[in-house]
Structure formats: C-alpha cells, structure tokens
Amino acid sequence: VEGLRHFVSRGAMDIEGLGAENIDLFFNSGLVKTAADIFTLKDRRPAVTKALAERREEQARLREQASGKTRKNVRSVEERNYEGLDKLFAAIDARREPELDRFIFALGIRHIGETTAAVLARQFSTIEELIRVGKETAKAEDPHSVFPSINGIGDTVINALRDFFGNERNDDVLDALLAQVHPKPYVMEISAGSEVSGKTVVFTGTLEKMTRSEAKAMAERLGAKVAGSVSAKTDLVVAGPGAGSKLKVASELGIEVIDEDTWLQRIGRAG
C-alpha cells in the first residue's frame, strides 16, 4: 500500500481526491492492488460506492459511541450522496497521459527521486526506451556495457534499475499499468522564440502552482539551465514566498527577480 500511496502523491501522479485515506480504503476493500487498478475504478463504480458507504457507516457508528446519541435515520447505500465520485474519476482520467519524469518517479524505484527521474526522462525520452535499456542492463554481466554514462547517475541508481527491471513480477505490473496510462515522450521545446533558452535560472522560496522538480523540468525543456545557487552567471531568479539568502544575493548582484506567475507568463504557461 505504501507504493500506491507514493504513486498518487503530489510529486508523482498527483491524483486529486485520491489521498492516503482513500488508497487505504480501496486497498483494504480489495479494489486496488496495483497502480493499474486505480484506472479501472470507474468501471467498478458500485463496488467503490459500497466501500465508501461502509466507511461512512463505520464513522457514523463511532460518532454515536462517542456522543452517546443514536441516529434517527440510517441511510442505505442507495440513499447516500456520492457526487464526489465523478470528480474523482475525472481526476484519475486526467492523469492517463502524465509527463514522463512524473511517471518514472511514480513507479517508486529505489533511489530514484524526482530529480533523478527527470534526468532519466531527458536521457531516454520515452518509457519504452527506458524499459528496453533497463531490461538489457538487468541481463548484462557488466551493466556499464549497456547502460550509458549519464552525468549524475551512478552505480546506486543503475543497480536499483537492474533490480526493478530484472524482477519478472514488475513486468506484469508495468504492462498492466501501461495498458491504462500513456506517458508523454520527453521533448525539448527549445525554439527561437523561447525567452529562457540558454538562460541560467534559479528557483527559490515556495512554489505554489508546481513542485520544484516540475519547475526544473519545465525550464530545462525550454532550453534553460537550472542552478542550485545564485552567482554572477545567473540570469534569472524565480522567487516564491519564503525566499531567503538566494533572493538577497540576487538583489546584491542586480539579477532580475520575478515571481512564479510572471515566470509562467514568460514561458507561455499562464492560466
């Protein structure tokens, strides 16, 4: 169940309305055993409704016990309101074509965080290519004879990929998931009109409309270089609430500072 919780978390597939509580409920009800099952919940609406009703009834009973008051009316499954289900199913459907780096991170492979997932997405471009190289690397006596040399990717990550793609049980899980989900190829979007192509960008403070890894991947797709610290080589600082020393250094060096909304406008992603 921990793997399922990770799969739907904000940095991964980020499915609104499918938090840890609902994942636990659907898992314990036998409705969701693998990530692929999440995308077939809509086809099993009666069973989903029943699981939700049973949880609501249990919660109502606990409130009765705590208060000492007995309900006058006990609603049946059919009488209860489940308007939120359509919203949940829509949120699930909206994640059927995730960004490749999000999908790789969502798989929950050991030692592969959001940053490493973005590096792998940029290197292999499609999930099919990552799977192909991963399986060949798993079979190879010397993994370095197959897996390319990638800056930032060492033996720890390569061995984690070998373990994951060398496990036959993961083949079935991944095949079932890819029958439901189609990750977008990682495509660089550099164009002559890109205002940030070739620029060195630093993100600081709290980002409210995207995760830090999403912002980094977005900038890199547009041809920018994302740095972790501000220096004389920095061209632009995107500052959110809580920005501290990096913002101060940027001001001292006379570097342009903009907020998150302005950044989105500049790269044509506003709204």
Side-chain angles (χ1 to χ4, degrees), residues 28-48:
N28 292 330
S29 300
L31 289 167
V32 172
K33 293 300 183 185
T34 69
D37 295 333
I38 291 169
F39 295 90
T40 63
L41 281 173
K42 184 169 64 175
D43 301 328
R44 294 171 286 148
R45 186 178 186 121
V48 173

Side-chain angles (χ1 to χ4, degrees), residues 14-256:
D14 189 20
I15 301 177
E16 186 178 353
L18 196 59
E21 186 180 9
N22 277 338
I23 280 291
D24 288 351
L25 172 67
F26 297 148
F27 179 83
N28 292 330
S29 300
L31 289 167
V32 172
K33 293 300 183 185
T34 69
D37 295 333
I38 291 169
F39 295 90
T40 63
L41 281 173
K42 184 169 64 175
D43 301 328
R44 294 171 286 148
R45 186 178 186 121
V48 173
T49 300
K50 182 174 182 290
L52 290 169
E54 288 175 350
R55 180 175 65 186
R56 289 184 185 180
E57 180 59 26
E58 178 60 24
Q59 290 170 339
R61 281 199 298 267
L62 291 173
R63 286 194 297 270
E64 278 184 331
Q65 292 174 8
S67 67
K69 297 179 181 178
T70 303
R71 287 170 291 167
K72 294 180 180 179
N73 298 309
V74 179
R75 290 187 293 172
S76 66
V77 173
E78 293 74 20
E79 291 171 328
R80 291 182 178 273
N81 189 328
Y82 300 97
E83 289 179 357
L85 269 185
D86 289 332
K87 186 176 180 181
L88 173 61
F89 294 150
I92 292 171
D93 283 340
R95 290 293 183 264
R96 288 186 183 273
E97 294 186 1
E99 299 292 344
L100 180 58
D101 50 339
R102 266 183 178 275
F103 182 79
I104 294 171
F105 175 62
L107 292 176
I109 303 171
R110 284 187 311 117
H111 307 300
I112 296 183
E114 293 175 86
T115 300
T116 303
V119 172
L120 292 171
R122 190 162 59 249
Q123 172 70 32
F124 294 105
S125 298
T126 67
I127 189 61
E128 290 79 13
E129 182 63 8
L130 174 60
I131 292 171
R132 184 189 70 78
V133 174
K135 287 185 175 181
E136 287 187 9
T137 303
K139 294 175 183 176
E141 188 171 328
D142 175 12
H144 296 286
S145 66
V146 176
F147 200 85
S149 175
I150 307 171
N151 186 33
I153 302 293
D155 286 343
T156 299
V157 170
I158 293 173
N159 288 331
L161 289 168
R162 276 166 62 89
D163 289 344
F164 183 84
F165 289 110
N167 186 334
E168 291 184 2
R169 287 180 297 179
N170 289 334
D171 289 347
D172 293 336
V173 171
L174 200 49
D175 286 346
L177 181 55
L178 289 174
Q180 300 291 335
V181 179
H182 308 287
K184 298 174 185 174
Y186 187 99
V187 179
M188 296 294 286
E189 300 173 5
I190 304 172
S191 67
S194 172
E195 288 191 39
V196 298
S197 178
K199 304 281 188 182
T200 297
V201 182
V202 172
F203 293 95
T204 184
T206 303
L207 298 179
E208 299 176 323
K209 297 185 177 178
M210 54 189 157
T211 65
R212 188 63 60 89
S213 65
E214 285 177 311
K216 184 175 186 292
M218 186 184 293
E220 289 175 342
R221 282 196 187 94
L222 293 165
K225 176 185 176 182
V226 179
S229 59
V230 178
S231 70
K233 295 180 180 180
T234 304
D235 297 297
L236 182 66
V237 172
V238 181
S245 59
K246 292 177 185 177
L247 181 57
K248 182 180 178 182
V249 173
S251 299
E252 291 172 351
L253 294 175
I255 295 166
E256 183 183 9

